[in-house]
Amino acid sequence: MFFVGGILAGIAVFGETSSKFVHFWNSSFLGRYTLPDLFHLSPGATVLLVAVLGLLALWGGEQVERIARRKAGLEPIAVPKWIRPGAAVFVLAALAVMLIGQPTAAERWERIAAEKQPLLDNREVQIHPAEMRDLYYNSLVNLVMIDVRDEADYNLFHVKGAKRVPLDQLESIVPELKAAPDGTVVVLMSNDETYATEGWKILVAEGVPNVYILEGGINNFLATCSETPFKPIPGGDEDLRYEITAALGARHPNASLREHGKEIEYTPKVKLQKKAPTGAGGCG
Amino acid sequence: MAPFALEAELGKFAAYLIFLLIGAGFGATLEMAGFTKSTKLTAQFYLKDMTVLKVMFTAVLVAMVLIFGAVGLGLLDYDRIWVPPTYLWPGILGGFLIGVGFIVGGF
């Protein structure tokens, strides 16, 4: 009776007051936050550290229990004989986990390549520049544009709002991308698609959801969406094939994703993991 | 590679049967360890019987080594394991409340 009364009272109090502490509830949201993130250690080193600390805590708990029982005049609880060898095996196992290490992004990609490579081959993740523009103006979508090119090209010209993260630093922003709210779409871009595709593999292997590639890269963006195109120049794959003589950055009008730009038809490809309608319309 | 999509691979009935068996096994283990006795739970707070701490802590540590070992050997995809999002201060307050509840309930 006492317990049932407590449960009902708790439900009633919580139900009536939960809206009052919603800010407190969300105040310290950290997302998928684990001990390796806290300690800034590799998962393997964290496993070994926690294993050793955990065994010490268990040993300490046993000592405390023994003292408390002695004071209360109780017999100590018998400790099984295999406990020490068991603890040694456990530490060795934790050490083995550290030595084996965790798979790198490249190894993870190898494991999921059979499943994900068809998305690249069937061009299901290469989105038209106009679709990226529509995502930018879609209030239900949090668009994250990542430019993986080198600093020189980025300084010459980049899409307004795109953040430069070189390929070798992509893994460092994975926690941030994973903690992003539902409805976040990540679009990777380079001058063409080669480097962006490499970046796509890294992020997909790391388990970042809703990652796409800007179709044809910056060159295609300039070709399709510019109101006043730059002068084309010849160049190879992943070269910026437009003549830009000064470091314009995102200051040129062509860098803006204009809401009422020229109308361009495209096939929408973004399928959000969480259902959210995508917009429709023209191009920047 | 684990985790397996049991419902998709075996069908609902078989998957739910497996879930039921795991749940029953978990419950039976707790029952055998004496976790259903409120006096055992309360004794933890008087430091006279640390079984709860030992069992819980051992389970956490063993699971940690097995999970990261399986990930390292390529048997498990860590990104597809559900990790509850951290709400730091509400979590601490909630843990405190449940601890108080255990002590009060033990009386």
Side-chain angles (χ1 to χ4, degrees):
Chain A
M1 194 67 192
F2 176 75
F3 291 111
V4 174
I7 290 167
L8 291 176
I11 291 171
V13 170
F14 180 78
E16 288 302 315
T17 60
S18 60
S19 60
K20 301 252 188 322
F21 48 84
V22 68
H23 288 295
F24 169 68
W25 167 244
N26 290 317
S27 62
S28 47
F29 175 71
L30 298 172
R32 189 182 165 116
Y33 194 74
T34 51
L35 290 180
D37 303 319
L38 177 67
F39 296 146
H40 299 290
L41 287 173
S42 70
T46 310
V47 165
L48 185 63
L49 181 71
V50 174
V52 172
L53 290 177
L55 284 178
L56 283 174
L58 286 171
W59 177 82
E62 234 159 40
Q63 304 312 309
V64 170
E65 178 189 81
R66 196 168 296 160
I67 294 165
R69 288 182 79 85
R70 196 189 304 146
K71 280 190 178 169
L74 296 168
E75 286 290 310
I77 296 173
V79 178
K81 280 182 184 169
W82 48 262
I83 205 117
R84 282 170 200 276
V89 169
F90 178 71
V91 171
L92 286 176
L95 189 64
V97 169
M98 191 178 85
L99 294 177
I100 292 168
Q102 300 296 294
T104 62
E107 287 167 340
R108 284 186 204 172
W109 170 254
E110 287 301 314
R111 288 173 191 167
I112 59 165
E115 184 192 340
K116 301 291 185 185
Q117 184 66 39
L119 296 175
L120 289 172
D121 298 340
N122 300 333
R123 300 197 62 77
E124 290 176 39
V125 291
Q126 291 87 346
I127 65 166
H128 193 277
E131 185 168 13
M132 182 173 81
R133 186 218 72 102
D134 287 341
L135 292 170
Y136 184 78
Y137 287 103
N138 187 335
S139 59
L140 297 172
V141 170
N142 171 35
L143 179 66
V144 178
M145 294 180 284
I146 296 177
D147 194 323
V148 299
R149 296 175 302 161
D150 61 32
E151 198 169 356
D153 276 359
Y154 181 81
N155 287 344
L156 275 180
F157 178 85
H158 62 260
V159 177
K160 195 171 184 179
K163 179 181 172 187
R164 192 181 87 86
V165 184
L167 284 177
D168 58 358
Q169 290 172 25
L170 261 186
E171 284 182 53
S172 66
I173 61 161
V174 167
E176 185 189 324
L177 294 176
K178 281 184 176 174
D182 277 330
T184 295
V185 173
V186 180
V187 179
L188 292 160
M189 60 190 81
S190 54
N191 281 331
D192 289 301
E193 288 181 9
T194 311
Y195 295 149
T197 304
E198 290 306 309
W200 185 87
K201 288 179 180 177
I202 292 171
L203 294 186
V204 169
E206 291 286 351
V208 178
N210 300 321
V211 187
Y212 291 87
I213 297 164
L214 179 63
E215 187 179 65
I218 297 293
N219 285 318
N220 186 41
F221 176 82
L222 288 172
T224 11
C225 299
S226 301
E227 299 277 333
T228 50
F230 299 114
K231 185 185 166 195
I233 52 171
D237 184 43
E238 286 298 346
D239 287 336
L240 187 58
R241 293 190 295 276
Y242 285 90
E243 190 176 63
I244 301 173
T245 49
L248 301 175
R251 291 190 304 277
H252 193 277
N254 284 348
S256 299
L257 295 161
R258 286 181 298 280
E259 188 166 12
H260 302 292
K262 57 184 180 183
E263 292 289 323
I264 293 180
E265 284 195 4
Y266 63 88
T267 311
K269 292 179 181 172
V270 171
K271 292 172 194 153
L272 276 176
Q273 281 190 1
K274 185 135 184 172
K275 201 177 174 185
T278 51
C283 173
Chain B
M1 189 191 288
F4 305 111
L6 287 182
E7 267 190 68
E9 285 175 21
L10 303 172
K12 261 191 176 173
F13 182 76
Y16 284 18
L17 190 64
I18 291 173
F19 299 154
L20 185 69
L21 288 175
I22 292 173
F26 183 62
T29 311
L30 292 183
E31 172 76 36
M32 284 189 276
F35 272 37
T36 47
K37 292 177 194 153
S38 59
T39 48
K40 194 129 188 154
L41 296 176
T42 318
Q44 168 69 49
F45 295 97
Y46 295 109
L47 311 174
K48 289 176 195 162
D49 188 343
M50 304 289 263
T51 308
V52 177
L53 180 132
K54 286 187 237 174
V55 171
M56 290 295 198
F57 228 66
T58 308
V60 169
L61 292 176
V62 170
M64 174 190 70
V65 170
L66 290 181
I67 285 173
F68 283 99
V71 173
L73 293 171
L75 302 172
L76 179 66
D77 185 352
Y78 181 62
D79 290 321
R80 287 170 59 202
I81 305 173
W82 167 247
V83 176
T86 301
Y87 294 84
L88 189 62
W89 290 109
I92 291 170
L93 180 67
F96 175 74
L97 283 178
I98 205 169
V100 171
F102 267 132
I103 299 176
V104 174
F107 281 114

PDB file of all heavy atoms in Angstrom, chain A residues 188-212:
ATOM      1  N   LEU A 188      29.146  17.502 -48.281  1.00  0.00           N
ATOM      2  CA  LEU A 188      30.583  17.663 -48.483  1.00  0.00           C
ATOM      3  C   LEU A 188      30.846  18.187 -49.885  1.00  0.00           C
ATOM      4  O   LEU A 188      30.145  17.812 -50.833  1.00  0.00           O
ATOM      5  CB  LEU A 188      31.276  16.306 -48.318  1.00  0.00           C
ATOM      6  CG  LEU A 188      31.264  15.734 -46.912  1.00  0.00           C
ATOM      7  CD1 LEU A 188      31.514  14.244 -46.956  1.00  0.00           C
ATOM      8  CD2 LEU A 188      32.321  16.406 -46.058  1.00  0.00           C
ATOM      9  N   MET A 189      31.846  19.044 -50.004  1.00  0.00           N
ATOM     10  CA  MET A 189      32.158  19.573 -51.336  1.00  0.00           C
ATOM     11  C   MET A 189      33.661  19.738 -51.526  1.00  0.00           C
ATOM     12  O   MET A 189      34.397  20.026 -50.578  1.00  0.00           O
ATOM     13  CB  MET A 189      31.427  20.898 -51.555  1.00  0.00           C
ATOM     14  CG  MET A 189      31.781  21.975 -50.567  1.00  0.00           C
ATOM     15  SD  MET A 189      30.691  23.407 -50.712  1.00  0.00           S
ATOM     16  CE  MET A 189      29.261  22.857 -49.801  1.00  0.00           C
ATOM     17  N   SER A 190      34.067  19.505 -52.773  1.00  0.00           N
ATOM     18  CA  SER A 190      35.435  19.817 -53.189  1.00  0.00           C
ATOM     19  C   SER A 190      35.297  20.401 -54.595  1.00  0.00           C
ATOM     20  O   SER A 190      34.177  20.651 -55.053  1.00  0.00           O
ATOM     21  CB  SER A 190      36.315  18.567 -53.168  1.00  0.00           C
ATOM     22  OG  SER A 190      35.744  17.532 -53.930  1.00  0.00           O
ATOM     23  N   ASN A 191      36.393  20.613 -55.315  1.00  0.00           N
ATOM     24  CA  ASN A 191      36.254  21.225 -56.641  1.00  0.00           C
ATOM     25  C   ASN A 191      35.460  20.337 -57.587  1.00  0.00           C
ATOM     26  O   ASN A 191      34.668  20.824 -58.387  1.00  0.00           O
ATOM     27  CB  ASN A 191      37.631  21.532 -57.234  1.00  0.00           C
ATOM     28  CG  ASN A 191      38.218  22.800 -56.631  1.00  0.00           C
ATOM     29  OD1 ASN A 191      37.469  23.698 -56.224  1.00  0.00           O
ATOM     30  ND2 ASN A 191      39.531  22.873 -56.536  1.00  0.00           N
ATOM     31  N   ASP A 192      35.709  19.018 -57.516  1.00  0.00           N
ATOM     32  CA  ASP A 192      34.863  18.071 -58.245  1.00  0.00           C
ATOM     33  C   ASP A 192      34.230  17.156 -57.196  1.00  0.00           C
ATOM     34  O   ASP A 192      33.725  17.659 -56.214  1.00  0.00           O
ATOM     35  CB  ASP A 192      35.679  17.325 -59.300  1.00  0.00           C
ATOM     36  CG  ASP A 192      36.050  18.252 -60.456  1.00  0.00           C
ATOM     37  OD1 ASP A 192      35.125  18.792 -61.073  1.00  0.00           O
ATOM     38  OD2 ASP A 192      37.251  18.464 -60.708  1.00  0.00           O
ATOM     39  N   GLU A 193      34.330  15.844 -57.403  1.00  0.00           N
ATOM     40  CA  GLU A 193      33.693  14.960 -56.406  1.00  0.00           C
ATOM     41  C   GLU A 193      34.693  14.026 -55.720  1.00  0.00           C
ATOM     42  O   GLU A 193      34.351  13.377 -54.737  1.00  0.00           O
ATOM     43  CB  GLU A 193      32.607  14.117 -57.073  1.00  0.00           C
ATOM     44  CG  GLU A 193      31.367  14.902 -57.442  1.00  0.00           C
ATOM     45  CD  GLU A 193      30.305  14.008 -58.073  1.00  0.00           C
ATOM     46  OE1 GLU A 193      30.466  12.777 -58.060  1.00  0.00           O
ATOM     47  OE2 GLU A 193      29.329  14.572 -58.585  1.00  0.00           O
ATOM     48  N   THR A 194      35.911  13.953 -56.257  1.00  0.00           N
ATOM     49  CA  THR A 194      36.852  12.933 -55.779  1.00  0.00           C
ATOM     50  C   THR A 194      37.143  13.065 -54.285  1.00  0.00           C
ATOM     51  O   THR A 194      36.962  12.119 -53.523  1.00  0.00           O
ATOM     52  CB  THR A 194      38.174  13.025 -56.574  1.00  0.00           C
ATOM     53  OG1 THR A 194      37.852  13.068 -57.963  1.00  0.00           O
ATOM     54  CG2 THR A 194      39.057  11.815 -56.300  1.00  0.00           C
ATOM     55  N   TYR A 195      37.562  14.249 -53.860  1.00  0.00           N
ATOM     56  CA  TYR A 195      37.917  14.438 -52.446  1.00  0.00           C
ATOM     57  C   TYR A 195      36.671  14.406 -51.554  1.00  0.00           C
ATOM     58  O   TYR A 195      36.709  13.884 -50.431  1.00  0.00           O
ATOM     59  CB  TYR A 195      38.671  15.756 -52.253  1.00  0.00           C
ATOM     60  CG  TYR A 195      40.013  15.799 -52.935  1.00  0.00           C
ATOM     61  CD1 TYR A 195      40.543  16.995 -53.422  1.00  0.00           C
ATOM     62  CD2 TYR A 195      40.759  14.635 -53.099  1.00  0.00           C
ATOM     63  CE1 TYR A 195      41.773  17.030 -54.066  1.00  0.00           C
ATOM     64  CE2 TYR A 195      41.985  14.661 -53.749  1.00  0.00           C
ATOM     65  CZ  TYR A 195      42.489  15.850 -54.229  1.00  0.00           C
ATOM     66  OH  TYR A 195      43.697  15.880 -54.863  1.00  0.00           O
ATOM     67  N   ALA A 196      35.589  14.979 -52.053  1.00  0.00           N
ATOM     68  CA  ALA A 196      34.350  14.962 -51.268  1.00  0.00           C
ATOM     69  C   ALA A 196      33.891  13.523 -51.040  1.00  0.00           C
ATOM     70  O   ALA A 196      33.385  13.177 -49.971  1.00  0.00           O
ATOM     71  CB  ALA A 196      33.267  15.771 -51.980  1.00  0.00           C
ATOM     72  N   THR A 197      34.103  12.673 -52.066  1.00  0.00           N
ATOM     73  CA  THR A 197      33.719  11.265 -51.935  1.00  0.00           C
ATOM     74  C   THR A 197      34.580  10.580 -50.870  1.00  0.00           C
ATOM     75  O   THR A 197      34.074   9.765 -50.083  1.00  0.00           O
ATOM     76  CB  THR A 197      33.862  10.539 -53.293  1.00  0.00           C
ATOM     77  OG1 THR A 197      33.066  11.244 -54.256  1.00  0.00           O
ATOM     78  CG2 THR A 197      33.419   9.097 -53.201  1.00  0.00           C
ATOM     79  N   GLU A 198      35.882  10.921 -50.844  1.00  0.00           N
ATOM     80  CA  GLU A 198      36.747  10.370 -49.791  1.00  0.00           C
ATOM     81  C   GLU A 198      36.218  10.779 -48.406  1.00  0.00           C
ATOM     82  O   GLU A 198      36.169   9.984 -47.478  1.00  0.00           O
ATOM     83  CB  GLU A 198      38.188  10.889 -49.963  1.00  0.00           C
ATOM     84  CG  GLU A 198      38.921  10.330 -51.168  1.00  0.00           C
ATOM     85  CD  GLU A 198      38.919   8.826 -51.196  1.00  0.00           C
ATOM     86  OE1 GLU A 198      39.283   8.223 -50.180  1.00  0.00           O
ATOM     87  OE2 GLU A 198      38.502   8.253 -52.232  1.00  0.00           O
ATOM     88  N   GLY A 199      35.846  12.051 -48.302  1.00  0.00           N
ATOM     89  CA  GLY A 199      35.291  12.558 -47.041  1.00  0.00           C
ATOM     90  C   GLY A 199      33.991  11.861 -46.684  1.00  0.00           C
ATOM     91  O   GLY A 199      33.732  11.523 -45.520  1.00  0.00           O
ATOM     92  N   TRP A 200      33.162  11.612 -47.696  1.00  0.00           N
ATOM     93  CA  TRP A 200      31.877  10.928 -47.477  1.00  0.00           C
ATOM     94  C   TRP A 200      32.127   9.546 -46.869  1.00  0.00           C
ATOM     95  O   TRP A 200      31.465   9.136 -45.919  1.00  0.00           O
ATOM     96  CB  TRP A 200      31.144  10.808 -48.819  1.00  0.00           C
ATOM     97  CG  TRP A 200      29.766  10.228 -48.731  1.00  0.00           C
ATOM     98  CD1 TRP A 200      28.616  10.916 -48.482  1.00  0.00           C
ATOM     99  CD2 TRP A 200      29.387   8.853 -48.890  1.00  0.00           C
ATOM    100  NE1 TRP A 200      27.546  10.047 -48.474  1.00  0.00           N
ATOM    101  CE2 TRP A 200      27.987   8.780 -48.714  1.00  0.00           C
ATOM    102  CE3 TRP A 200      30.091   7.683 -49.152  1.00  0.00           C
ATOM    103  CZ2 TRP A 200      27.288   7.589 -48.801  1.00  0.00           C
ATOM    104  CZ3 TRP A 200      29.387   6.485 -49.231  1.00  0.00           C
ATOM    105  CH2 TRP A 200      27.996   6.440 -49.067  1.00  0.00           C
ATOM    106  N   LYS A 201      33.139   8.844 -47.421  1.00  0.00           N
ATOM    107  CA  LYS A 201      33.441   7.500 -46.906  1.00  0.00           C
ATOM    108  C   LYS A 201      33.864   7.572 -45.442  1.00  0.00           C
ATOM    109  O   LYS A 201      33.477   6.727 -44.634  1.00  0.00           O
ATOM    110  CB  LYS A 201      34.564   6.855 -47.739  1.00  0.00           C
ATOM    111  CG  LYS A 201      34.125   6.445 -49.133  1.00  0.00           C
ATOM    112  CD  LYS A 201      35.293   5.851 -49.902  1.00  0.00           C
ATOM    113  CE  LYS A 201      34.874   5.429 -51.299  1.00  0.00           C
ATOM    114  NZ  LYS A 201      36.021   4.911 -52.074  1.00  0.00           N
ATOM    115  N   ILE A 202      34.669   8.587 -45.109  1.00  0.00           N
ATOM    116  CA  ILE A 202      35.134   8.711 -43.719  1.00  0.00           C
ATOM    117  C   ILE A 202      33.940   8.951 -42.788  1.00  0.00           C
ATOM    118  O   ILE A 202      33.775   8.272 -41.775  1.00  0.00           O
ATOM    119  CB  ILE A 202      36.147   9.884 -43.590  1.00  0.00           C
ATOM    120  CG1 ILE A 202      37.437   9.547 -44.343  1.00  0.00           C
ATOM    121  CG2 ILE A 202      36.446  10.189 -42.120  1.00  0.00           C
ATOM    122  CD1 ILE A 202      38.417  10.704 -44.462  1.00  0.00           C
ATOM    123  N   LEU A 203      33.081   9.899 -43.142  1.00  0.00           N
ATOM    124  CA  LEU A 203      31.959  10.235 -42.247  1.00  0.00           C
ATOM    125  C   LEU A 203      30.954   9.097 -42.156  1.00  0.00           C
ATOM    126  O   LEU A 203      30.425   8.803 -41.074  1.00  0.00           O
ATOM    127  CB  LEU A 203      31.270  11.517 -42.717  1.00  0.00           C
ATOM    128  CG  LEU A 203      32.090  12.803 -42.625  1.00  0.00           C
ATOM    129  CD1 LEU A 203      31.237  14.013 -42.982  1.00  0.00           C
ATOM    130  CD2 LEU A 203      32.662  12.997 -41.226  1.00  0.00           C
ATOM    131  N   VAL A 204      30.685   8.439 -43.284  1.00  0.00           N
ATOM    132  CA  VAL A 204      29.730   7.319 -43.266  1.00  0.00           C
ATOM    133  C   VAL A 204      30.300   6.166 -42.432  1.00  0.00           C
ATOM    134  O   VAL A 204      29.593   5.540 -41.649  1.00  0.00           O
ATOM    135  CB  VAL A 204      29.398   6.871 -44.708  1.00  0.00           C
ATOM    136  CG1 VAL A 204      28.641   5.556 -44.723  1.00  0.00           C
ATOM    137  CG2 VAL A 204      28.561   7.952 -45.394  1.00  0.00           C
ATOM    138  N   ALA A 205      31.609   5.919 -42.590  1.00  0.00           N
ATOM    139  CA  ALA A 205      32.246   4.848 -41.801  1.00  0.00           C
ATOM    140  C   ALA A 205      32.195   5.169 -40.317  1.00  0.00           C
ATOM    141  O   ALA A 205      32.132   4.268 -39.482  1.00  0.00           O
ATOM    142  CB  ALA A 205      33.692   4.662 -42.246  1.00  0.00           C
ATOM    143  N   GLU A 206      32.210   6.450 -39.992  1.00  0.00           N
ATOM    144  CA  GLU A 206      32.146   6.859 -38.577  1.00  0.00           C
ATOM    145  C   GLU A 206      30.712   6.884 -38.065  1.00  0.00           C
ATOM    146  O   GLU A 206      30.468   7.199 -36.907  1.00  0.00           O
ATOM    147  CB  GLU A 206      32.774   8.247 -38.399  1.00  0.00           C
ATOM    148  CG  GLU A 206      34.279   8.278 -38.615  1.00  0.00           C
ATOM    149  CD  GLU A 206      35.056   7.664 -37.457  1.00  0.00           C
ATOM    150  OE1 GLU A 206      34.437   7.368 -36.426  1.00  0.00           O
ATOM    151  OE2 GLU A 206      36.270   7.472 -37.604  1.00  0.00           O
ATOM    152  N   GLY A 207      29.756   6.613 -38.948  1.00  0.00           N
ATOM    153  CA  GLY A 207      28.365   6.517 -38.505  1.00  0.00           C
ATOM    154  C   GLY A 207      27.624   7.840 -38.448  1.00  0.00           C
ATOM    155  O   GLY A 207      26.600   7.948 -37.776  1.00  0.00           O
ATOM    156  N   VAL A 208      28.119   8.856 -39.159  1.00  0.00           N
ATOM    157  CA  VAL A 208      27.396  10.130 -39.203  1.00  0.00           C
ATOM    158  C   VAL A 208      26.191   9.960 -40.144  1.00  0.00           C
ATOM    159  O   VAL A 208      26.360   9.486 -41.268  1.00  0.00           O
ATOM    160  CB  VAL A 208      28.308  11.269 -39.710  1.00  0.00           C
ATOM    161  CG1 VAL A 208      27.538  12.574 -39.804  1.00  0.00           C
ATOM    162  CG2 VAL A 208      29.515  11.419 -38.799  1.00  0.00           C
ATOM    163  N   PRO A 209      24.994  10.326 -39.683  1.00  0.00           N
ATOM    164  CA  PRO A 209      23.831  10.140 -40.556  1.00  0.00           C
ATOM    165  C   PRO A 209      23.662  11.287 -41.559  1.00  0.00           C
ATOM    166  O   PRO A 209      24.207  12.376 -41.359  1.00  0.00           O
ATOM    167  CB  PRO A 209      22.659  10.129 -39.571  1.00  0.00           C
ATOM    168  CG  PRO A 209      23.131  10.944 -38.418  1.00  0.00           C
ATOM    169  CD  PRO A 209      24.639  10.819 -38.363  1.00  0.00           C
ATOM    170  N   ASN A 210      22.898  11.017 -42.615  1.00  0.00           N
ATOM    171  CA  ASN A 210      22.507  12.047 -43.598  1.00  0.00           C
ATOM    172  C   ASN A 210      23.703  12.795 -44.194  1.00  0.00           C
ATOM    173  O   ASN A 210      23.758  14.023 -44.167  1.00  0.00           O
ATOM    174  CB  ASN A 210      21.548  13.057 -42.962  1.00  0.00           C
ATOM    175  CG  ASN A 210      20.278  12.413 -42.452  1.00  0.00           C
ATOM    176  OD1 ASN A 210      19.744  11.516 -43.096  1.00  0.00           O
ATOM    177  ND2 ASN A 210      19.811  12.835 -41.294  1.00  0.00           N
ATOM    178  N   VAL A 211      24.655  12.065 -44.725  1.00  0.00           N
ATOM    179  CA  VAL A 211      25.813  12.703 -45.361  1.00  0.00           C
ATOM    180  C   VAL A 211      25.647  12.635 -46.879  1.00  0.00           C
ATOM    181  O   VAL A 211      25.309  11.577 -47.420  1.00  0.00           O
ATOM    182  CB  VAL A 211      27.135  12.023 -44.954  1.00  0.00           C
ATOM    183  CG1 VAL A 211      28.324  12.812 -45.504  1.00  0.00           C
ATOM    184  CG2 VAL A 211      27.240  11.907 -43.455  1.00  0.00           C
ATOM    185  N   TYR A 212      25.869  13.753 -47.563  1.00  0.00           N
ATOM    186  CA  TYR A 212      25.721  13.819 -49.019  1.00  0.00           C
ATOM    187  C   TYR A 212      26.920  14.536 -49.627  1.00  0.00           C
ATOM    188  O   TYR A 212      27.729  15.137 -48.914  1.00  0.00           O
ATOM    189  CB  TYR A 212      24.409  14.529 -49.381  1.00  0.00           C
ATOM    190  CG  TYR A 212      23.202  13.708 -49.004  1.00  0.00           C
ATOM    191  CD1 TYR A 212      22.649  13.798 -47.719  1.00  0.00           C
ATOM    192  CD2 TYR A 212      22.632  12.813 -49.893  1.00  0.00           C
ATOM    193  CE1 TYR A 212      21.567  13.020 -47.343  1.00  0.00           C
ATOM    194  CE2 TYR A 212      21.545  12.028 -49.536  1.00  0.00           C
ATOM    195  CZ  TYR A 212      21.017  12.136 -48.263  1.00  0.00           C
ATOM    196  OH  TYR A 212      19.951  11.354 -47.906  1.00  0.00           O
TER     197      TYR A 212
END
